[in-house]
Amino acid sequence: MDHCIETLLTGGPDIEIILVDDGSTKDDTPAICDRWAERYPDIIRVIHQENGGHGEGVNQGIRNAAGVYYKVVDSDDWLDTEALSKVLDKLREFIRRGHPLDLMVCNYVYEHVEDNTQKVMRYTNVFPRNRVFTWNEIGRFRPSQYLLMHSVIYRTQLLRDCGIELPKHTFYVDNIFVYQPLPYVKTIYYMDLDLYRYFIGRADQSVNEKVMVGRVDQQVRITRIMIDAHDLNQVHQSQPKLGRYMFNYLSMMLTISSVFLIIDGSPAALGKRTELWEYLRTVDRRLYHRMKYRALSAVSNIPGYQGRRLSVGLYHLARKIYKFN
Protein backbone atom coordinates (compact mmCIF):
# COMPACT_ATOMS: atom_id res chain seq x y z
CA MET A 1 0.00 0.00 0.00
CA ASP A 2 2.87 2.40 0.73
CA HIS A 3 4.20 1.93 -2.80
CA CYS A 4 0.72 2.46 -4.25
CA ILE A 5 0.24 5.73 -2.36
CA GLU A 6 3.70 6.97 -3.29
CA THR A 7 2.90 6.62 -6.99
CA LEU A 8 -0.42 8.46 -6.57
CA LEU A 9 1.19 11.37 -4.74
CA THR A 10 3.22 12.21 -7.83
CA GLY A 11 -0.03 13.49 -9.32
CA GLY A 12 0.44 16.77 -7.47
CA PRO A 13 -1.53 18.90 -5.02
CA ASP A 14 -4.80 19.08 -6.95
CA ILE A 15 -5.52 15.36 -6.66
CA GLU A 16 -7.40 13.74 -3.80
CA ILE A 17 -6.49 10.31 -2.42
CA ILE A 18 -9.24 8.59 -0.46
CA LEU A 19 -7.97 5.64 1.57
CA VAL A 20 -10.77 3.30 2.58
CA ASP A 21 -9.92 1.10 5.55
CA ASP A 22 -12.48 -1.65 5.11
CA GLY A 23 -12.61 -2.87 8.70
CA SER A 24 -9.01 -4.10 8.76
CA THR A 25 -8.18 -5.88 12.04
CA LYS A 26 -5.42 -8.36 11.18
CA ASP A 27 -2.72 -5.86 10.22
CA ASP A 28 -1.64 -2.24 10.62
CA THR A 29 -3.73 -0.87 7.75
CA PRO A 30 -5.75 1.61 9.87
CA ALA A 31 -2.61 3.10 11.46
CA ILE A 32 -0.77 3.23 8.14
CA CYS A 33 -3.68 5.10 6.55
CA ASP A 34 -3.80 7.59 9.39
CA ARG A 35 -0.07 8.24 9.18
CA TRP A 36 -0.31 9.03 5.49
CA ALA A 37 -3.22 11.42 6.12
CA GLU A 38 -1.23 13.19 8.83
CA ARG A 39 1.67 13.70 6.42
CA TYR A 40 -0.53 14.96 3.55
CA PRO A 41 -3.69 16.42 5.15
CA ASP A 42 -4.56 18.49 2.06
CA ILE A 43 -4.41 15.50 -0.29
CA ILE A 44 -5.15 12.30 1.63
CA ARG A 45 -8.41 11.51 3.40
CA VAL A 46 -9.11 8.32 5.35
CA ILE A 47 -12.42 6.55 5.75
CA HIS A 48 -12.59 3.86 8.44
CA GLN A 49 -15.63 1.64 7.99
CA GLU A 50 -16.96 -1.73 9.09
CA ASN A 51 -16.04 -4.45 6.67
CA GLY A 52 -18.22 -4.19 3.59
CA GLY A 53 -16.00 -5.68 0.93
CA HIS A 54 -14.41 -4.18 -2.16
CA GLY A 55 -17.71 -2.89 -3.51
CA GLU A 56 -18.50 -0.85 -0.41
CA GLY A 57 -15.01 0.62 -0.53
CA VAL A 58 -15.70 1.84 -4.07
CA ASN A 59 -19.13 3.10 -3.01
CA GLN A 60 -17.60 5.14 -0.19
CA GLY A 61 -15.14 6.68 -2.61
CA ILE A 62 -17.93 7.74 -4.97
CA ARG A 63 -19.98 9.19 -2.10
CA ASN A 64 -17.08 11.21 -0.70
CA ALA A 65 -15.02 12.16 -3.74
CA ALA A 66 -14.60 15.88 -4.35
CA GLY A 67 -12.71 15.57 -7.63
CA VAL A 68 -14.07 15.90 -11.15
CA TYR A 69 -12.73 12.45 -12.05
CA TYR A 70 -12.73 9.17 -10.18
CA LYS A 71 -10.35 6.22 -10.41
CA VAL A 72 -10.14 3.08 -8.31
CA VAL A 73 -6.66 1.81 -7.46
CA ASP A 74 -6.33 -1.35 -5.36
CA SER A 75 -3.81 -1.15 -2.55
CA ASP A 76 -1.50 -3.86 -3.92
CA ASP A 77 -1.40 -2.28 -7.39
CA TRP A 78 0.19 0.98 -8.50
CA LEU A 79 0.24 3.59 -11.27
CA ASP A 80 3.11 4.41 -13.61
CA THR A 81 4.13 7.90 -12.54
CA GLU A 82 5.18 9.17 -15.97
CA ALA A 83 1.94 7.99 -17.55
CA LEU A 84 -0.06 9.45 -14.64
CA SER A 85 1.48 12.88 -15.22
CA LYS A 86 0.45 12.85 -18.89
CA VAL A 87 -3.07 11.63 -18.13
CA LEU A 88 -3.64 14.31 -15.49
CA ASP A 89 -2.37 17.03 -17.84
CA LYS A 90 -4.92 15.94 -20.43
CA LEU A 91 -7.78 15.78 -17.90
CA ARG A 92 -6.88 19.26 -16.61
CA GLU A 93 -6.97 20.50 -20.19
CA PHE A 94 -10.56 19.31 -20.65
CA ILE A 95 -11.58 20.93 -17.36
CA ARG A 96 -10.04 24.26 -18.44
CA ARG A 97 -12.03 24.09 -21.66
CA GLY A 98 -15.22 23.57 -19.68
CA HIS A 99 -15.94 20.20 -21.30
CA PRO A 100 -14.83 17.42 -18.93
CA LEU A 101 -14.82 13.95 -20.44
CA ASP A 102 -17.19 11.22 -19.38
CA LEU A 103 -14.58 8.48 -19.69
CA MET A 104 -10.80 8.31 -20.05
CA VAL A 105 -9.30 4.96 -21.08
CA CYS A 106 -5.64 3.91 -20.72
CA ASN A 107 -3.75 0.64 -20.97
CA TYR A 108 -3.03 -1.59 -18.00
CA VAL A 109 -0.25 -4.11 -17.37
CA TYR A 110 -0.59 -7.57 -15.83
CA GLU A 111 2.35 -8.06 -13.46
CA HIS A 112 2.40 -11.89 -13.18
CA VAL A 113 4.01 -13.08 -9.97
CA GLU A 114 4.11 -16.77 -10.83
CA ASP A 115 6.49 -16.41 -13.78
CA ASN A 116 7.71 -12.82 -13.35
CA THR A 117 6.31 -11.71 -16.72
CA GLN A 118 4.30 -8.73 -17.89
CA LYS A 119 1.43 -8.49 -20.35
CA VAL A 120 0.24 -5.11 -21.59
CA MET A 121 -3.46 -4.79 -22.42
CA ARG A 122 -3.93 -1.96 -24.89
CA TYR A 123 -6.82 -0.80 -27.06
CA THR A 124 -5.16 0.58 -30.19
CA ASN A 125 -7.30 -1.69 -32.38
CA VAL A 126 -10.51 -0.56 -30.66
CA PHE A 127 -10.33 3.17 -29.96
CA PRO A 128 -9.15 6.25 -31.86
CA ARG A 129 -6.13 7.74 -30.13
CA ASN A 130 -5.71 11.24 -28.71
CA ARG A 131 -9.10 12.67 -29.67
CA VAL A 132 -12.60 12.73 -28.26
CA PHE A 133 -14.92 10.09 -29.73
CA THR A 134 -18.20 8.29 -29.09
CA TRP A 135 -19.32 4.65 -28.98
CA ASN A 136 -20.25 4.88 -32.68
CA GLU A 137 -16.54 5.07 -33.54
CA ILE A 138 -15.20 2.05 -31.69
CA GLY A 139 -13.80 -1.11 -33.25
CA ARG A 140 -14.09 -4.73 -32.11
CA PHE A 141 -12.60 -6.00 -28.87
CA ARG A 142 -10.46 -9.13 -28.99
CA PRO A 143 -10.97 -11.93 -26.42
CA SER A 144 -9.76 -10.90 -22.95
CA GLN A 145 -9.51 -7.27 -24.09
CA TYR A 146 -12.59 -5.93 -22.36
CA LEU A 147 -12.52 -2.76 -20.29
CA LEU A 148 -11.59 -3.42 -16.69
CA MET A 149 -11.61 -1.22 -13.62
CA HIS A 150 -7.87 -0.81 -14.20
CA SER A 151 -8.32 0.86 -17.58
CA VAL A 152 -11.04 3.43 -16.85
CA ILE A 153 -11.31 6.87 -15.28
CA TYR A 154 -14.92 8.13 -15.02
CA ARG A 155 -16.31 11.58 -14.50
CA THR A 156 -17.41 11.40 -10.86
CA GLN A 157 -20.85 12.93 -11.36
CA LEU A 158 -21.61 10.43 -14.14
CA LEU A 159 -21.15 7.59 -11.66
CA ARG A 160 -23.56 9.26 -9.29
CA ASP A 161 -26.07 10.02 -12.04
CA CYS A 162 -26.16 6.41 -13.26
CA GLY A 163 -27.07 5.27 -9.74
CA ILE A 164 -24.34 2.70 -9.38
CA GLU A 165 -24.28 0.97 -5.98
CA LEU A 166 -22.00 -2.05 -5.74
CA PRO A 167 -23.14 -4.90 -3.49
CA LYS A 168 -21.45 -5.43 -0.14
CA HIS A 169 -19.45 -8.52 0.81
CA THR A 170 -19.20 -9.65 -2.79
CA PHE A 171 -16.20 -10.18 -5.01
CA TYR A 172 -16.06 -9.40 -8.76
CA VAL A 173 -17.99 -6.12 -8.39
CA ASP A 174 -15.53 -4.52 -10.82
CA ASN A 175 -17.56 -6.10 -13.62
CA ILE A 176 -20.56 -3.96 -12.65
CA PHE A 177 -18.32 -0.89 -12.43
CA VAL A 178 -17.26 -1.23 -16.08
CA TYR A 179 -20.70 -2.25 -17.39
CA GLN A 180 -23.56 -0.37 -15.77
CA PRO A 181 -22.30 3.22 -16.41
CA LEU A 182 -21.45 2.71 -20.10
CA PRO A 183 -24.75 3.82 -21.71
CA TYR A 184 -24.42 7.10 -19.78
CA VAL A 185 -21.01 7.78 -21.32
CA LYS A 186 -21.19 10.19 -24.27
CA THR A 187 -17.58 11.34 -24.66
CA ILE A 188 -14.48 9.13 -24.49
CA TYR A 189 -10.74 9.73 -24.85
CA TYR A 190 -8.07 7.03 -25.20
CA MET A 191 -4.41 7.52 -24.35
CA ASP A 192 -2.05 4.73 -25.43
CA LEU A 193 -0.19 4.79 -22.12
CA ASP A 194 0.56 1.92 -19.71
CA LEU A 195 -0.95 3.59 -16.65
CA TYR A 196 -2.16 0.85 -14.30
CA ARG A 197 0.05 -1.96 -13.00
CA TYR A 198 -2.08 -4.91 -11.95
CA PHE A 199 -0.33 -7.24 -9.49
CA ILE A 200 -1.62 -10.77 -10.17
CA GLY A 201 -0.75 -14.29 -9.21
CA ARG A 202 -0.98 -14.57 -5.41
CA ALA A 203 -2.48 -17.82 -4.16
CA ASP A 204 -5.23 -15.98 -2.23
CA GLN A 205 -6.16 -13.58 -5.03
CA SER A 206 -9.80 -13.37 -6.05
CA VAL A 207 -9.01 -14.31 -9.67
CA ASN A 208 -7.09 -17.44 -8.69
CA GLU A 209 -8.97 -20.41 -10.17
CA LYS A 210 -9.40 -22.35 -6.92
CA VAL A 211 -10.58 -19.20 -5.18
CA MET A 212 -13.05 -18.47 -7.99
CA VAL A 213 -14.55 -21.96 -7.72
CA GLY A 214 -15.03 -21.41 -3.99
CA ARG A 215 -16.68 -18.04 -4.64
CA VAL A 216 -18.69 -19.02 -7.69
CA ASP A 217 -21.97 -18.06 -5.99
CA GLN A 218 -20.70 -14.48 -5.87
CA GLN A 219 -19.77 -14.61 -9.56
CA VAL A 220 -23.32 -15.78 -10.30
CA ARG A 221 -24.76 -12.97 -8.16
CA ILE A 222 -22.79 -10.35 -10.10
CA THR A 223 -23.90 -11.86 -13.41
CA ARG A 224 -27.55 -11.67 -12.36
CA ILE A 225 -27.15 -8.01 -11.37
CA MET A 226 -25.65 -7.30 -14.78
CA ILE A 227 -28.54 -9.09 -16.53
CA ASP A 228 -30.93 -6.74 -14.70
CA ALA A 229 -28.86 -3.56 -15.25
CA HIS A 230 -29.92 -2.74 -18.83
CA ASP A 231 -32.23 -3.77 -21.63
CA LEU A 232 -29.55 -4.63 -24.18
CA ASN A 233 -32.06 -4.61 -27.01
CA GLN A 234 -32.73 -0.92 -26.32
CA VAL A 235 -29.03 -0.16 -25.96
CA HIS A 236 -28.36 -1.82 -29.32
CA GLN A 237 -31.11 0.17 -31.02
CA SER A 238 -29.72 3.52 -29.88
CA GLN A 239 -25.98 2.67 -29.90
CA PRO A 240 -25.35 -0.50 -31.93
CA LYS A 241 -21.61 -0.80 -31.29
CA LEU A 242 -21.98 -0.26 -27.56
CA GLY A 243 -24.85 -2.76 -27.53
CA ARG A 244 -22.65 -5.34 -29.27
CA TYR A 245 -19.84 -4.79 -26.78
CA MET A 246 -22.14 -5.08 -23.75
CA PHE A 247 -23.74 -8.21 -25.22
CA ASN A 248 -20.31 -9.80 -25.59
CA TYR A 249 -19.29 -8.77 -22.07
CA LEU A 250 -22.42 -10.23 -20.51
CA SER A 251 -21.93 -13.39 -22.58
CA MET A 252 -18.41 -13.66 -21.20
CA MET A 253 -19.74 -13.33 -17.64
CA LEU A 254 -22.30 -16.07 -18.21
CA THR A 255 -19.62 -18.31 -19.71
CA ILE A 256 -17.22 -17.80 -16.78
CA SER A 257 -19.98 -18.46 -14.25
CA SER A 258 -21.00 -21.60 -16.13
CA VAL A 259 -17.44 -22.90 -16.45
CA PHE A 260 -16.67 -22.52 -12.75
CA LEU A 261 -19.92 -24.20 -11.82
CA ILE A 262 -18.87 -27.06 -14.11
CA ILE A 263 -15.42 -27.18 -12.47
CA ASP A 264 -17.17 -27.44 -9.09
CA GLY A 265 -19.03 -30.39 -10.58
CA SER A 266 -21.47 -31.04 -7.74
CA PRO A 267 -25.14 -31.63 -8.56
CA ALA A 268 -25.96 -28.40 -6.70
CA ALA A 269 -23.47 -26.41 -8.81
CA LEU A 270 -24.72 -27.89 -12.08
CA GLY A 271 -28.25 -27.03 -10.98
CA LYS A 272 -27.17 -23.43 -10.36
CA ARG A 273 -25.79 -23.26 -13.90
CA THR A 274 -29.20 -24.26 -15.25
CA GLU A 275 -30.92 -21.77 -12.95
CA LEU A 276 -28.67 -18.93 -14.16
CA TRP A 277 -29.52 -19.51 -17.80
CA GLU A 278 -33.20 -19.93 -16.97
CA TYR A 279 -33.07 -16.60 -15.12
CA LEU A 280 -31.79 -14.93 -18.27
CA ARG A 281 -34.64 -16.53 -20.24
CA THR A 282 -37.24 -15.18 -17.81
CA VAL A 283 -35.76 -11.67 -18.08
CA ASP A 284 -35.29 -11.59 -21.86
CA ARG A 285 -36.15 -14.66 -23.96
CA ARG A 286 -34.76 -13.09 -27.13
CA LEU A 287 -31.45 -12.26 -25.47
CA TYR A 288 -31.29 -15.78 -24.01
CA HIS A 289 -31.51 -17.44 -27.42
CA ARG A 290 -29.01 -15.06 -28.98
CA MET A 291 -26.55 -15.57 -26.15
CA LYS A 292 -26.81 -19.30 -25.48
CA TYR A 293 -25.99 -20.31 -29.01
CA ARG A 294 -23.26 -17.83 -29.86
CA ALA A 295 -19.73 -19.25 -30.05
CA LEU A 296 -18.43 -18.12 -26.65
CA SER A 297 -21.45 -19.07 -24.59
CA ALA A 298 -21.97 -22.31 -26.48
CA VAL A 299 -18.61 -23.50 -25.15
CA SER A 300 -20.10 -23.68 -21.65
CA ASN A 301 -23.32 -25.31 -22.83
CA ILE A 302 -22.01 -28.47 -24.49
CA PRO A 303 -24.28 -31.23 -23.14
CA GLY A 304 -23.19 -34.30 -21.21
CA TYR A 305 -20.19 -35.25 -19.11
CA GLN A 306 -17.77 -35.18 -22.04
CA GLY A 307 -19.19 -31.84 -23.07
CA ARG A 308 -18.48 -30.43 -19.62
CA ARG A 309 -14.91 -31.76 -19.73
CA LEU A 310 -14.44 -30.11 -23.11
CA SER A 311 -15.78 -26.81 -21.75
CA VAL A 312 -13.25 -26.82 -18.91
CA GLY A 313 -10.43 -27.81 -21.26
CA LEU A 314 -11.22 -24.96 -23.64
CA TYR A 315 -11.32 -22.54 -20.70
CA HIS A 316 -7.87 -23.66 -19.51
CA LEU A 317 -6.52 -23.30 -23.05
CA ALA A 318 -7.88 -19.75 -23.28
CA ARG A 319 -6.40 -18.93 -19.87
CA LYS A 320 -2.98 -20.17 -20.98
CA ILE A 321 -3.09 -18.18 -24.22
CA TYR A 322 -4.49 -14.91 -22.88
CA LYS A 323 -3.22 -15.10 -19.26
CA PHE A 324 -6.32 -13.36 -17.98
CA ASN A 325 -5.97 -14.76 -14.44
Side-chain angles (χ1 to χ4, degrees):
M1 184 170 67
D2 286 337
H3 180 228
C4 174
I5 295 169
E6 287 166 358
T7 65
L8 300 179
L9 283 167
T10 65
D14 62 343
I15 69 165
E16 174 188 48
I17 302 173
I18 301 176
L19 304 179
V20 180
D21 162 32
D22 187 42
S24 300
T25 58
K26 296 180 180 180
D27 55 29
D28 295 331
T29 296
I32 294 171
C33 290
D34 289 338
R35 284 199 296 270
W36 277 107
E38 289 172 3
R39 289 177 61 187
Y40 297 93
D42 296 329
I43 296 177
I44 298 179
R45 298 168 57 198
V46 179
I47 297 173
H48 297 286
Q49 64 179 29
E50 294 183 4
N51 178 259
H54 188 224
E56 183 59 15
V58 175
N59 292 337
Q60 283 283 25
I62 296 172
R63 295 182 195 121
N64 290 277
V68 178
Y69 297 102
Y70 184 83
K71 181 161 187 64
V72 178
V73 183
D74 288 342
S75 60
D76 51 357
D77 300 333
W78 65 96
L79 300 186
D80 180 89
T81 57
E82 184 177 343
L84 176 61
S85 176
K86 294 177 180 178
V87 170
L88 290 174
D89 284 346
K90 181 57 65 173
L91 293 176
R92 292 182 185 107
E93 178 184 325
F94 282 108
I95 292 174
R96 286 195 300 270
R97 293 179 182 177
H99 299 288
L101 289 169
D102 288 341
L103 175 63
M104 168 70 80
V105 179
C106 298
N107 308 329
Y108 64 95
V109 182
Y110 283 118
E111 300 279 353
H112 285 274
V113 177
E114 58 185 7
D115 56 5
N116 198 31
T117 60
Q118 297 179 336
K119 183 175 179 61
V120 180
M121 302 303 299
R122 52 175 46 95
Y123 302 94
T124 51
N125 60 304
V126 180
F127 298 136
R129 280 177 275 187
N130 302 321
R131 69 173 179 84
V132 178
F133 59 93
T134 68
W135 294 120
N136 293 329
E137 301 172 78
I138 68 173
R140 288 184 176 270
F141 290 76
R142 293 191 295 263
S144 80
Q145 198 188 21
Y146 298 110
L147 294 172
L148 297 188
M149 188 177 276
H150 320 311
S151 53
V152 300
I153 303 174
Y154 286 112
R155 185 168 55 83
T156 309
Q157 190 58 46
L158 181 143
L159 292 174
R160 293 169 179 155
D161 291 344
C162 77
I164 191 167
E165 180 79 14
L166 302 182
K168 294 183 178 181
H169 303 294
T170 307
F171 286 88
Y172 316 118
V173 295
D174 50 315
N175 293 288
I176 300 173
F177 189 79
V178 292
Y179 182 86
Q180 182 178 330
L182 296 187
Y184 294 81
V185 170
K186 305 306 178 187
T187 55
I188 315 163
Y189 196 95
Y190 169 56
M191 298 184 75
D192 184 17
L193 297 172
D194 302 341
L195 176 63
Y196 196 103
R197 319 299 288 217
Y198 177 32
F199 187 72
I200 189 169
R202 295 196 321 270
D204 64 338
Q205 201 158 14
S206 62
V207 292
N208 174 280
E209 181 175 309
K210 290 182 180 179
V211 175
M212 290 187 75
V213 172
R215 295 172 177 164
V216 68
D217 285 346
Q218 298 182 48
Q219 180 80 24
V220 170
R221 181 185 181 193
I222 295 299
T223 304
R224 283 178 173 247
I225 291 172
M226 292 171 65
I227 289 171
D228 293 336
H230 293 288
D231 182 336
L232 292 189
N233 299 309
Q234 290 184 1
V235 174
H236 189 269
Q237 288 177 5
S238 59
Q239 301 184 85
K241 291 186 177 182
L242 175 60
R244 180 184 66 199
Y245 169 76
M246 294 180 68
F247 174 91
N248 290 338
Y249 195 106
L250 183 59
S251 175
M252 178 267 296
M253 290 294 293
L254 280 153
T255 300
I256 290 175
S257 297
S258 298
V259 166
F260 281 109
L261 288 166
I262 292 171
I263 292 175
D264 179 300
S266 66
L270 297 178
K272 290 174 183 177
R273 181 183 64 145
T274 300
E275 290 172 3
L276 177 61
W277 283 94
E278 285 302 306
Y279 182 75
L280 176 63
R281 177 153 56 180
T282 61
V283 172
D284 191 328
R285 182 179 294 269
R286 178 184 170 192
L287 184 65
Y288 164 84
H289 286 289
R290 285 180 59 208
M291 197 161 284
K292 187 166 185 178
Y293 301 109
R294 74 183 299 272
L296 177 62
S297 302
V299 167
S300 63
N301 283 291
I302 304 171
Y305 172 74
Q306 293 299 328
R308 293 195 293 272
R309 288 189 61 187
L310 178 59
S311 297
V312 174
L314 290 172
Y315 165 79
H316 285 146
L317 177 62
R319 180 184 182 275
K320 184 176 181 180
I321 294 171
Y322 297 111
K323 300 182 73 172
F324 44 79
N325 62 39

